[in-house]
């Protein structure tokens, strides 16, 4: 415990966001950074609790008190090393993790937890800037070959862990660049893609091979990999978005959120896109259906494109504000109203609304019919919604469906290998992350269903441990 009185004398201080008028003019990261001394002071607030609930809440089991102390003492090298003992990519999670560790920090009892997430990002940035992030090349190789299909956070964690164990790892990605959801699903204003490229360069220097533009199960047969490799790990994510199959769904102007975000990320990355694939919200009335992070990302993107108006709706009731909850601690994910930087940039938010139909002319979206609802429980305890009031029709030019994902694509890879799936059509694995097909393992969202980046990294690390045991 670096400073035993800091939690009493030092107030929580967040870096905050860039000025609104500046940040909506570009796709640069919205978060600012504290100077080194302020950051060390913030790290000193960690109390090194007797029972550190932050460990319990973090899916990776990060050792918060240890690396907070190293930051406070200015030992950025050791802080980064301790972080990477449990987390392969702290520079990612330090930017985009919802920080369940902070929700369970004992100082959250006073609504003032340690700035764990920001400190995490700062530790890795300092380690990079000071030249501490050097390739760690395995001294010996086992001669075993592993193929990882999918290059999102789970796949990259599997590859990183197995490569460090001395196995020869090749990552296959169907897109033009490595990164999966990190690159194509998360906007640059939350995660600059140079941060990903910097880590990928390290992994390549350490021996990981990356192959892009090949979809296993379509462009190349999966069974051929089984002959070539000693183990294969599926980390293809939860690819099928949840649809809203109502009247007018086929109209031009109704898109899945990930279609929109992927398109914009490719434009920012200077990739060529067919003009027919451009989705431009400039001067348009935008409706975002879904109240989660993906919906928030659509709002931030539409604001940067110059949308005239943005409305975000949610079918569930409006959650309470944190200050209105008596004591959510140590819940790692309390159900509270979340206001993101994108919300602050301009949008209207409404709750308890159901979408009845999309309206259009000549095949093009012109409006949406909504109706207010209320929720109750039936005799069996099931939640039931009932329409109240009269439906309303809004003039809408663009709709983005941010309703989550249901399961991985069944055609192609999964069908070719004859993989068993569970009741939700996710890849079925046993306790050792093995599928029903010999030497084929699963990791991340394709096994668990959609989840957080931090959980995918944890899943990848766990799967890599079992693959290593299988190979040795």
């Amino acid at each position: 415990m670096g400073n035993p009185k800091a939690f009493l004398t030092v107030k929580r201080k967040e870096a905050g966001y860039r000025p609104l008028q500046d940040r909506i003019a570009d796709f640069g990261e919205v978060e600012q950074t504290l100077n080194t001394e302020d950051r060390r002071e913030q790290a000193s607030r960690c109390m090194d609790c007797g029972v550190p609930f932050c460990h319990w809440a973090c899916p990776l089991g990060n050792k918060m008190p240890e690396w907070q102390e190293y930051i406070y003492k200015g030992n950025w090298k050791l802080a980064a090393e301790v972080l990477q003992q449990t987390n392969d990519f702290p520079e990612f999670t330090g930017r985009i993790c919802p920080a369940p560790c902070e929700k369970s920090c004992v100082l959250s009892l006073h609504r003032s937890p340690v700035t764990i997430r920001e400190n995490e990002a700062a530790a890795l940035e300092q380690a990079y800037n000071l030249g501490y992030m050097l390739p760690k090349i395995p001294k010996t190789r086992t001669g075993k070959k592993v193929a990882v299909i999918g290059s999102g956070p789970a796949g990259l964690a599997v590859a990183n862990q197995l490569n460090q164990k001395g196995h020869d790892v090749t990552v296959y990605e169907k897109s033009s660049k490595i990164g999966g959801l990190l690159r194509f699903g998360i906007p640059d204003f939350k995660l600059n893609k140079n941060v990903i490229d910097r880590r990928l360069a390290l992994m390549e220097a350490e021996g990981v091979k990356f192959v892009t533009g090949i979809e296993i199960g379509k462009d190349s047969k999966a069974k051929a990999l089984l002959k070539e490799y000693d183990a294969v790990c599926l980390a293809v994510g939860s690819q099928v978005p949840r649809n809203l199959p109502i009247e007018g769904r086929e109209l031009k102007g109704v898109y899945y959120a990930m279609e929109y975000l992927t398109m914009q990320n490719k434009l920012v990355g200077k990739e060529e896109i067919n003009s027919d694939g451009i989705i431009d919200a400039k001067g348009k009335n935008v409706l975002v259906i879904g109240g989660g992070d993906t919906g928030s990302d659509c709002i931030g993107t539409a604001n940067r494109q110059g949308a005239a108006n943005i409305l975000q709706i949610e079918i569930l009731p409006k959650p309470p504000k944190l200050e209105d909850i008596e004591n959510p601690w140590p819940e790692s994910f309390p159900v509270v109203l979340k206001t993101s930087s994108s919300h602050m940039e301009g949008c209207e938010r409404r709750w308890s609304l159901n979408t009845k139909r999309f309206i259009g002319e000549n095949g093009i979206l012109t409006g949406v019919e909504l109706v207010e609802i209320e929720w109750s429980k039936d005799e069996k305890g099931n939640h039931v919604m009932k329409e109240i009031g009269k439906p309303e029709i809004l003039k809408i030019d663009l709709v983005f469906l941010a309703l989550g994902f249901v399961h991985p694509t069944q055609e192609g890879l999964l069908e070719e290998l004859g993989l068993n799936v569970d009741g939700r059509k996710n890849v079925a694995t046993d306790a050792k992350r093995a599928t029903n097909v010999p030497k084929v393992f699963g990791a991340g969202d394709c096994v668990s269903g959609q989840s957080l980046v931090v959980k995918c990294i944890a899943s990848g690390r766990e799967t890599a441990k079992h693959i290593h045991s299988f190979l040795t």
Side-chain angles (χ1 to χ4, degrees), residues 2 26 35-36 50 132 162 173 181 186 190 199 209 212 241 264 276 284 309 313 334 336 338 365 368 371 411 417 425:
D26 59 41
N35 63 53
T36 303
Y132 300 141
L162 292 177
E173 169 58 51
L181 174 72
I186 299 174
K190 288 173 65 176
R199 174 60 75 165
K209 300 180 181 68
T212 59
Q264 184 58 60
D276 293 338
K284 295 181 179 179
N309 296 288
I313 65 171
V336 296
K338 298 176 183 177
L365 179 75
V368 179
V371 65
E411 301 80 15
L417 290 177
K425 295 187 178 181

Side-chain angles (χ1 to χ4, degrees), residues 89 92 151-158 179-182 452-454 456-457 460:
F89 315 116
F92 301 164
S151 68
L156 290 179
V158 171
L181 174 72
L182 294 167
L452 302 171
V453 168
V454 65
C456 287
I457 296 173

Side-chain angles (χ1 to χ4, degrees), residues 277-351:
I278 301 294
I279 307 170
D280 192 355
K282 185 175 182 179
K284 295 181 179 179
N285 299 311
V286 176
L287 174 65
V288 178
I289 303 177
D293 288 339
T294 302
S296 168
D297 293 343
C298 289
I299 293 168
T301 302
N303 271 319
R304 282 159 179 76
Q305 289 185 344
N309 296 288
I310 304 173
L311 169 64
Q312 182 182 34
I313 65 171
E314 170 64 65
I315 198 169
L316 296 174
K318 183 178 181 178
K321 295 181 179 179
L322 180 62
E323 54 267 28
D324 295 333
I325 298 178
E326 183 176 350
N327 183 19
W329 182 86
E331 288 292 327
S332 54
F333 287 103
V335 181
V336 296
L337 179 64
K338 298 176 183 177
T339 300
S340 69
S341 62
S342 295
H343 292 132
M344 297 174 187
E345 292 161 5
C347 74
E348 181 185 357
R349 304 169 73 185
R350 297 175 62 184
W351 289 264

Side-chain angles (χ1 to χ4, degrees), residues 151-153 179-186 193 258 265 405 445 451 453:
S151 68
L181 174 72
L182 294 167
R183 185 175 297 278
F184 295 111
I186 299 174
K193 302 310 177 269
M258 207 52 64
N265 281 9
F405 295 83
D445 287 359
S451 59
V453 168

Side-chain angles (χ1 to χ4, degrees), residues 124-161:
L124 264 289
E125 290 308 307
Q126 287 285 353
Y128 274 109
N129 293 337
L130 296 173
Y132 300 141
M133 297 297 290
L134 301 173
K136 297 178 180 177
I137 301 172
K139 294 181 180 179
T140 58
R141 289 288 176 182
T142 64
K144 300 291 185 179
K145 298 172 63 180
V146 181
V148 178
I149 305 175
S151 68
L156 290 179
V158 171
N160 190 53
Q161 287 292 307

Side-chain angles (χ1 to χ4, degrees), residues 144-205:
K144 300 291 185 179
K145 298 172 63 180
V146 181
V148 178
I149 305 175
S151 68
L156 290 179
V158 171
N160 190 53
Q161 287 292 307
L162 292 177
N163 179 66
Q164 289 300 316
K165 296 291 187 182
H167 307 301
D168 293 312
V169 183
T170 302
V171 179
Y172 291 89
E173 169 58 51
K174 67 179 181 180
S175 299
S176 57
K177 293 182 180 179
I178 295 293
L181 174 72
L182 294 167
R183 185 175 297 278
F184 295 111
I186 299 174
D188 285 66
F189 56 77
K190 288 173 65 176
L191 176 63
N192 189 294
K193 302 310 177 269
N194 290 332
V195 176
I196 301 174
D197 293 334
R198 183 177 59 182
R199 174 60 75 165
L200 294 178
L202 262 183
M203 292 176 67
E204 281 191 301

Side-chain angles (χ1 to χ4, degrees), residues 4-57:
K5 295 183 178 180
F7 73 97
L8 295 171
T9 59
V10 178
K11 301 296 183 183
R12 176 181 167 96
K13 182 179 181 181
E14 298 178 17
Y17 304 119
R18 295 164 54 204
L20 191 150
Q21 293 306 317
D22 289 345
R23 69 180 193 249
I24 63 172
D26 59 41
F27 281 84
E29 288 188 355
V30 301
E31 279 201 326
Q32 301 183 118
T33 56
L34 296 178
N35 63 53
T36 303
E37 289 309 309
D38 280 348
R39 180 58 62 205
R40 290 175 59 186
E41 192 174 53
Q42 286 301 299
S44 74
R45 298 182 67 243
C46 179
M47 298 186 293
D48 194 7
C49 304
V51 179
F53 287 88
C54 52
H55 286 278
W56 159 76

Side-chain angles (χ1 to χ4, degrees), residues 431-433 441 461-471:
K432 294 184 177 181
R433 302 297 175 92
F441 297 78
R461 291 173 63 90
E462 179 70 14
T463 299
K465 181 178 71 175
H466 292 301
I467 294 175
H468 176 63
S469 296
F470 168 75
L471 292 174

